[in-house]
Amino acid sequence: MEFIKTLWKNRKLVLKLGKSDFKNRFASTSLGSIWGFLQPFVFMMMYVIVFQFIFKSQGEGGVPYVVWFLPGMAMWMCLNDNIMGASGAIRSYSYLVKKVVFPIDIIPIISIVGNSVVSIFLFAIAIAISAIYGKIVNVLEFLYVLFAAYAFIIALTRFTSAVTTLVPDFSNLLAIIMQICFWATPVVWGISQLDGHPTLARIMQCMPFAYLVTAARECVMGGNIITASNGLYTAIFWTITIIMYLWGNYIFKNKKKDFADVL
């Protein structure tokens, strides 16, 4: 609760610094913040071109690949960018830790706010393109999915931001882990491809990354991830997220006194 109180107390500061964080990344370029939107947009569109128009892939449920792919990819990029950014945020803002009295707990959230500008843009693109193909987003379910995604991001990065601050090499290991998770998560492939391996499919659906990517797709494809299998996967997701938060919060609180010494 202490972390939540600190975050709420400094919410205006977080929003202000988060906005500056996003702008400062591209301050030295002529196009500025446009690069922040252009790079991930082109990356997503290249996947669409390759799989839908070259490989002639079809999305699950018979929908065009672009409708099936974009919501899941937007979710993955949201997760990846926020996790990697927040994990290294304390080292990026080391001057705040060493020179002034500053609520260290909110530093990873500053990075999350900055990255969220692009994430919201990518979700908007996915929703708009899906609407062109006749798939309208379920707004209430989408809001739930966003809440779940950011709850998971914050829970995970309470741990990873503390470890990365104390052990810089962990950021490289985390990048490798996220690359493995990308291909192990049904982002460019579908869960239905595991129909011949039901046990593996169930295990996969219990993973937080798979849950969130699938949930993002269900928002525009008419499914309901919240009550899937009587809410089993939702219950598992929130159990993992809560345990992860409690563990990460414990590590962060006990180690933050050492941050200034290692920066």
Side-chain angles (χ1 to χ4, degrees), residues 2-195:
E2 180 183 347
F3 165 69
I4 296 174
K5 290 179 180 178
T6 301
L7 181 58
W8 178 255
K9 180 181 178 181
N10 296 279
R11 61 190 183 280
K12 292 183 180 179
L13 178 62
V14 169
L15 292 174
K16 181 179 179 180
L17 292 178
K19 182 179 179 181
S20 298
D21 179 85
F22 175 72
K23 290 183 177 179
N24 291 339
R25 296 176 199 175
F26 310 98
S28 61
T29 64
S30 56
L31 292 181
S33 300
I34 293 176
W35 287 115
F37 300 102
L38 186 60
Q39 290 173 342
F41 175 74
V42 171
F43 179 75
M44 287 174 59
M45 288 302 106
M46 288 304 298
Y47 269 96
V48 171
I49 292 171
V50 170
F51 283 95
Q52 178 161 328
F53 298 105
I54 297 179
F55 292 155
K56 307 295 183 181
S57 299
Q58 190 81 1
E60 291 186 339
V63 300
Y65 187 82
V66 63
V67 174
W68 176 86
F69 171 76
L70 287 183
M73 190 61 177
M75 174 57 74
W76 173 260
M77 294 182 74
C78 172
L79 293 169
N80 183 74
D81 293 350
N82 279 293
I83 289 171
M84 293 304 301
S87 297
I90 295 177
R91 284 197 162 271
S92 299
Y93 284 90
S94 59
Y95 61 92
L96 292 177
V97 179
K98 294 188 293 184
K99 296 183 179 180
V100 297
V101 178
F102 191 85
I104 300 174
D105 294 70
I106 71 170
I107 292 179
I109 308 300
I110 293 171
S111 177
I112 290 174
V113 171
N115 280 304
S116 294
V117 177
V118 175
S119 298
I120 292 173
F121 167 74
L122 296 179
F123 281 123
I125 292 296
I127 290 171
I129 292 178
S130 297
I132 292 173
Y133 282 88
K135 296 292 184 179
I136 306 301
V137 66
N138 183 321
V139 176
L140 292 179
E141 189 174 352
F142 178 70
L143 291 176
Y144 160 77
V145 172
L146 278 184
F147 175 77
Y150 279 96
F152 174 74
I153 290 167
I154 292 172
L156 178 60
T157 55
R158 287 295 283 171
F159 169 74
T160 57
S161 61
V163 176
T164 300
T165 303
L166 298 173
V167 186
D169 285 351
F170 182 74
S171 62
N172 296 315
L173 175 61
L174 182 61
I176 294 173
I177 292 173
M178 292 303 292
Q179 288 179 355
I180 295 173
C181 287
F182 171 75
W183 293 107
T185 300
V187 180
V188 297
W189 56 274
I191 286 289
S192 63
Q193 293 176 253
L194 298 176
D195 285 346

